[in-house]
Amino acid sequence: MKRVEQVVDVFRKLGGAARLPDVYAYFEKTVDVELPKTWRAGIRGRIYENSSDAGGELKKDLFAKVEEGFWKLRDHEIASDLIETRKDLDPTEVVEMVLVREHWRRKGARSVFENQAFTISHADSRAFEGAGLRPFFEYRQLGIAEATKGAYGAHVIRAVPGKESPGTWHSHELDFQMVYVTQGWVVFEYEGQGEHVLRAGSCVLQPPGIVHREVRHSDDLELIEITSPADFTTQEEDAR
């Protein structure tokens, strides 16, 4: 705890600037040995004797006083909003945020992306296709199923003008299904929930297994549907 290198390392992990209580909280959270009674004084001593702003006997000029309560590494460029965003935070909150960031940095990009791939889909890059769950709709896949190895699916759905829904009651075996209407309108009916008109800007989360049906829609209907997994089983249900 008395080595200045340790204190410098903690300051770097805290973004280059910190309050003394933030530094204390970081040590308390990460050190797995019993700390001596004077450990806080030891940290203050390492800062003061290595800062020309402290007015004491100087060893190295490693720390600079930014403003009351905050110190920084003299050679470190800190984010412009770092101090303002931390002023009202408890030191334990600051440390938790830093440790979460460190966790993901240690995992590395390969680990973070091992089950997903970066993908972008543009309106003119994939055509609408008629092959889908409902013949009165056309589907434009967004590449999410391929990018997530089937864990998620997302597509744009638009109505085929002149074709109507037969209003068949059904349910899906999946973990997640969300619908967001971007254009036109559609009427869904849900068991126990009744009929609902979704217009542009409307969003509905359909819980797994809920029995429902598409009653009618406008010819200009267009919506986005997101599911997990991408492929799932649909079964017809008795009339409600």
Side-chain angles (χ1 to χ4, degrees):
M1 214 65 60
K2 296 180 179 180
R3 289 169 45 204
V4 69
E5 291 82 8
Q6 289 179 281
V7 181
V8 169
D9 182 57
V10 170
F11 264 86
R12 293 196 188 282
K13 289 175 177 176
L14 291 172
R19 301 166 295 187
L20 285 177
D22 299 335
V23 178
Y24 301 154
Y26 190 93
F27 273 107
E28 288 179 312
K29 186 72 175 180
T30 59
V31 173
D32 56 4
V33 297
E34 185 176 353
L35 296 168
K37 293 182 179 180
T38 59
W39 67 273
R40 291 183 179 84
I43 290 173
R44 290 194 300 273
R46 300 298 80 75
I47 294 173
Y48 296 161
E49 68 188 13
N50 287 281
S51 173
S52 57
D53 297 331
E57 184 178 344
L58 186 66
K59 291 186 176 180
K60 296 180 181 178
D61 202 9
L62 302 176
F63 301 96
K65 193 170 185 179
V66 184
E67 59 178 72
E68 191 61 38
F70 277 90
W71 292 83
K72 71 178 285 289
L73 295 176
R74 191 170 294 279
D75 64 351
H76 194 98
E77 190 70 29
I78 62 174
S80 58
D81 62 343
L82 184 146
I83 292 177
E84 285 302 317
T85 56
R86 289 188 180 176
K87 280 182 176 179
D88 298 324
L89 292 179
D90 184 85
T92 56
E93 294 179 290
V94 173
V95 172
E96 286 299 329
M97 290 191 301
V98 170
L99 291 177
V100 168
R101 186 175 67 240
E102 283 184 5
H103 167 75
W104 288 107
R105 184 179 292 128
R106 285 196 300 269
K107 284 178 71 69
R110 181 176 179 181
S111 176
V112 172
F113 292 107
E114 64 184 5
N115 292 317
Q116 295 185 16
F118 181 80
T119 185
I120 295 178
S121 177
H122 299 287
D124 57 357
S125 63
R126 291 187 181 224
F128 280 89
E129 298 178 353
L133 180 62
R134 310 166 188 87
F136 46 91
F137 285 157
E138 292 180 325
Y139 301 77
R140 180 168 70 84
Q141 300 297 330
L142 299 177
I144 305 302
E146 299 93 329
T148 62
K149 299 180 181 179
Y152 298 89
H155 43 238
V156 181
I157 302 175
R158 71 181 181 188
V160 177
K163 289 191 176 184
E164 297 181 358
S165 166
T168 304
W169 288 96
H170 61 280
S171 63
H172 307 300
E173 291 186 13
L174 40 56
D175 297 321
F176 178 87
Q177 183 179 25
M178 188 200 84
V179 172
Y180 181 88
V181 179
T182 58
Q183 181 177 295
W185 56 267
V186 60
V187 178
F188 287 118
E189 185 175 5
Y190 300 93
E191 182 179 20
Q193 304 298 324
E195 285 193 3
H196 293 271
V197 181
L198 276 64
R199 306 177 182 85
S202 298
C203 178
V204 60
L205 175 66
Q206 300 181 169
I210 189 170
V211 178
H212 63 286
R213 64 174 180 160
E214 199 267 23
V215 180
R216 55 191 177 275
H217 58 264
S218 62
D219 278 350
D220 64 342
L221 171 66
E222 191 167 293
L223 56 84
I224 296 172
E225 183 178 54
I226 301 173
T227 67
S228 177
D231 294 322
F232 52 87
T233 301
T234 298
Q235 58 185 25
E236 292 189 7
E237 302 284 354
D238 295 333
R240 303 290 156 161

